[in-house]
Amino acid sequence: MSLVKSVSLVNNELDTNGFVTTDAINYVTDKHGSVVDVNSVKRSADWISEKTPGRYVVTYRYGKASGKIAVTVRSDVNEGISKTDAKLGKGGNVGKT
């Protein structure tokens, strides 16, 4: 089983779907090396809400294989939003083809 190392999410008060924990699975193989459907993996949580900041640990199990990842929902609701004082520049000449 191959999982991502960690997941970091921005707090989203309008979140309706949450983070689906199967999205953290890279791939899973059975004892014969055949790829397994990720929905066959048992998870300690099916999804994590992006509305509540915090650190959540999700455990994954398939047969004898298991793994854990940390999912962090950051508390800064304004992260990635910025204001700028840049002005639009003058347009250039439009080329003709």
Side-chain angles (χ1 to χ4, degrees), residues 44-60:
S44 60
D46 291 331
W47 64 276
I48 294 174
S49 174
E50 296 169 17
K51 292 180 180 181
T52 309
R55 185 174 184 273
Y56 307 89
V57 176
V58 182
T59 302
Y60 297 80

Side-chain angles (χ1 to χ4, degrees), residues 87-95:
K87 307 269 189 268
L88 290 175
K90 289 175 65 174
N93 294 331
V94 177

Side-chain angles (χ1 to χ4, degrees):
M1 178 180 328
S2 173
L3 305 171
V4 299
K5 303 249 184 249
S6 64
V7 175
S8 181
L9 306 169
V10 175
N11 179 298
N12 181 357
E13 293 290 327
L14 303 177
D15 172 48
T16 57
N17 298 323
F19 171 72
V20 180
T21 57
T22 54
D23 289 348
I25 301 172
N26 292 323
Y27 64 87
V28 180
T29 57
D30 62 15
K31 63 182 178 181
H32 304 290
S34 299
V35 176
V36 174
D37 181 1
V38 295
N39 292 311
S40 300
V41 177
K42 293 182 181 178
R43 303 172 314 276
S44 60
D46 291 331
W47 64 276
I48 294 174
S49 174
E50 296 169 17
K51 292 180 180 181
T52 309
R55 185 174 184 273
Y56 307 89
V57 176
V58 182
T59 302
Y60 297 80
R61 294 188 191 287
Y62 182 79
K64 293 181 181 180
S66 67
K68 293 181 180 184
I69 67 158
V71 178
T72 304
V73 179
R74 297 184 306 274
S75 61
D76 185 359
V77 296
N78 294 316
E79 185 171 337
I81 299 173
S82 62
K83 293 182 180 179
T84 180
D85 59 357
K87 307 269 189 268
L88 290 175
K90 289 175 65 174
N93 294 331
V94 177
K96 293 182 181 180
T97 58

